Amino acid sequence: MTTDVSFDIVVIGAGPVGLACGLEVQRRGLSVCVLDKGALVNSIIGYPTNMEFFSTPELLEIGGHPMTTLHYKPLREDALDYYRRVAQTERLTLRLYERVTGLEGEQGSFEVVTEKGRIKARFVIVATGFYDVPNLLRVPGEDLPHVTHYYKEPYAHADQDVVVIGAKNSSAKAALQLLRAGARPVLVVRGSEISESVKYWIRPDLVNRIKEGRIGCLFNSTVASITETTVELNMPDGPRTLPAQHVYALTGYHPDFSFLNTLGITCEADAAQTPTHNADTLETNRPGLYLAGTVCGGLNTSRWFIENGRYHAQLIAARLAGEAAPKLPEVLQQVQLS
């Protein structure tokens, strides 16, 4: 395997924050290549069909490019088109469907090892997010073909019993869509109520449908096992069996810690397993290797979003170009102080 090309910076991850990093360093006269093991903005491709972002368009914009949409809050499809157009307009060098398998060398003379070759780089930025690795239930039957950790759309489940595991936004929206597409959804919730973090315009709808009995909901329940036709539960009053022709285990996601370890990034001994990095510079324990976006929060996946993580690109690009750190928007200052 030979080194086939060289750049000042390689960005690993072609999501919104990774693209923002690419265009910010490129604007400062540095050469950059953006790598991804999947498609451009691969995580957004995996979002539910016609999913509505919680943010307004201006909070999702990168590089000063306006996001145009007919909706007050952009849909998944709006974002897919927008980030593709930004990448094309900025003429970013992209290498998609190319998995990174290692990182050799040191600051100033890194070699990014991929399944297709080696790329030389002075610096490397990791913007891999967290959506690719689901939090597993670790119960028998979780690997059955009718069990999935990603929800796309409800239409295949008309007149079917569907169990949705979880009580946050993804589970709430899935249960409501399943109901309205003719399925018989049942929510399995570990706690005693629907999470207060469910968005204010979704939670009342869900709570009322549960009260009406149109959506089943079992609180204080955990999954013991999954079979081809049932979900076996542990409940305060004993075991219970639910019929299930499909199971959505929407229990959240986390960064790929094994991949970070492959790159030589350690994690702190805190509850979030926060990847080691300097909060002011975003440089990791390995000099010349930086983190950007949601991956910075470790298991605390609600700390960083596109809205505030995109500013990591400006911080890192300024540092690599030898500029003074830009003044942070208030939204980013608040997150850093929290």
Side-chain angles (χ1 to χ4, degrees), residues 57-58 60-69 78 82-83 85-86:
E58 64 273 12
L60 301 177
E61 293 170 355
I62 59 174
H65 294 274
M67 177 184 282
T68 57
T69 174
D78 296 324
Y82 169 76
Y83 292 116
R85 288 187 289 106
V86 169

Side-chain angles (χ1 to χ4, degrees), residues 21 24-25 28 30 312-323:
C21 289
E24 289 292 344
V25 297
R28 288 164 171 79
L30 301 170
H312 289 172
Q314 297 178 17
L315 291 173
I316 297 172
R319 179 175 175 82
L320 297 184
E323 301 174 0

Side-chain angles (χ1 to χ4, degrees), residues 39-298:
L40 186 68
V41 289
N42 195 67
S43 292
I44 297 178
I45 288 175
Y47 289 173
T49 304
N50 292 321
M51 186 208 78
E52 182 182 69
F53 281 85
F54 297 139
S55 298
T56 51
E58 64 273 12
L59 295 177
L60 301 177
E61 293 170 355
I62 59 174
H65 294 274
M67 177 184 282
T68 57
T69 174
L70 297 175
H71 309 94
Y72 173 63
K73 294 181 179 179
L75 302 182
R76 162 187 176 267
E77 290 71 15
D78 296 324
L80 288 171
D81 182 61
Y82 169 76
Y83 292 116
R84 173 188 58 80
R85 288 187 289 106
V86 169
Q88 290 178 338
T89 300
E90 295 283 343
R91 297 185 178 181
L92 289 174
T93 298
L94 303 174
R95 290 177 60 155
L96 305 174
Y97 297 99
E98 184 167 355
R99 183 181 295 273
V100 173
T101 59
L103 179 63
E104 299 177 1
E106 58 188 20
Q107 176 175 302
S109 59
F110 284 123
E111 284 198 5
V112 180
V113 184
T114 79
E115 294 176 331
K116 298 181 180 180
R118 290 173 176 262
I119 306 170
K120 284 186 176 181
R122 293 167 53 214
F123 303 96
V124 175
I125 304 170
V126 179
T128 48
F130 64 88
Y131 193 62
D132 291 335
V133 187
N135 297 328
L136 299 179
L137 298 170
R138 303 193 184 282
V139 299
E142 188 172 12
D143 58 349
L144 289 170
H146 70 298
V147 181
T148 179
H149 294 274
Y150 297 91
Y151 170 78
K152 199 70 176 177
E153 58 184 17
Y155 307 109
H157 305 304
D159 197 35
Q160 288 194 319
D161 297 305
V162 183
V163 171
V164 180
I165 303 166
K168 295 189 177 180
N169 285 294
S170 296
S171 301
K173 294 181 75 172
L176 289 166
Q177 288 190 1
L178 286 162
L179 170 68
R180 287 160 184 153
R184 295 181 292 274
V186 176
L187 275 170
V188 173
V189 180
R190 183 174 54 185
S192 59
E193 63 178 0
I194 300 300
S195 174
E196 292 289 345
S197 68
V198 174
K199 297 302 178 181
Y200 66 89
W201 63 92
I202 299 173
R203 193 176 190 275
D205 189 3
L206 178 63
V207 169
N208 287 331
R209 302 298 78 75
I210 292 171
K211 287 180 179 178
E212 293 171 351
R214 298 176 64 195
I215 293 177
C217 189
L218 299 174
F219 294 109
N220 301 307
S221 304
T222 57
V223 177
S225 64
I226 302 171
T227 74
E228 292 182 353
T229 58
T230 67
V231 173
E232 306 297 326
L233 300 180
N234 290 321
M235 300 185 63
D237 57 353
R240 179 165 176 177
T241 298
L242 292 178
Q245 290 158 304
H246 199 91
V247 178
Y248 285 105
L250 305 180
T251 50
Y253 311 92
H254 63 268
D256 189 342
F257 292 111
S258 63
F259 176 68
L260 298 179
N261 183 66
T262 296
L263 300 180
I265 299 173
T266 60
C267 290
E268 301 298 321
D270 57 12
Q273 299 179 43
T274 306
T276 303
H277 67 284
N278 183 312
D280 295 323
T281 66
L282 302 175
E283 190 171 23
T284 69
N285 57 284
R286 189 169 181 182
L289 178 60
Y290 293 80
L291 294 179
T294 55
V295 69
C296 295

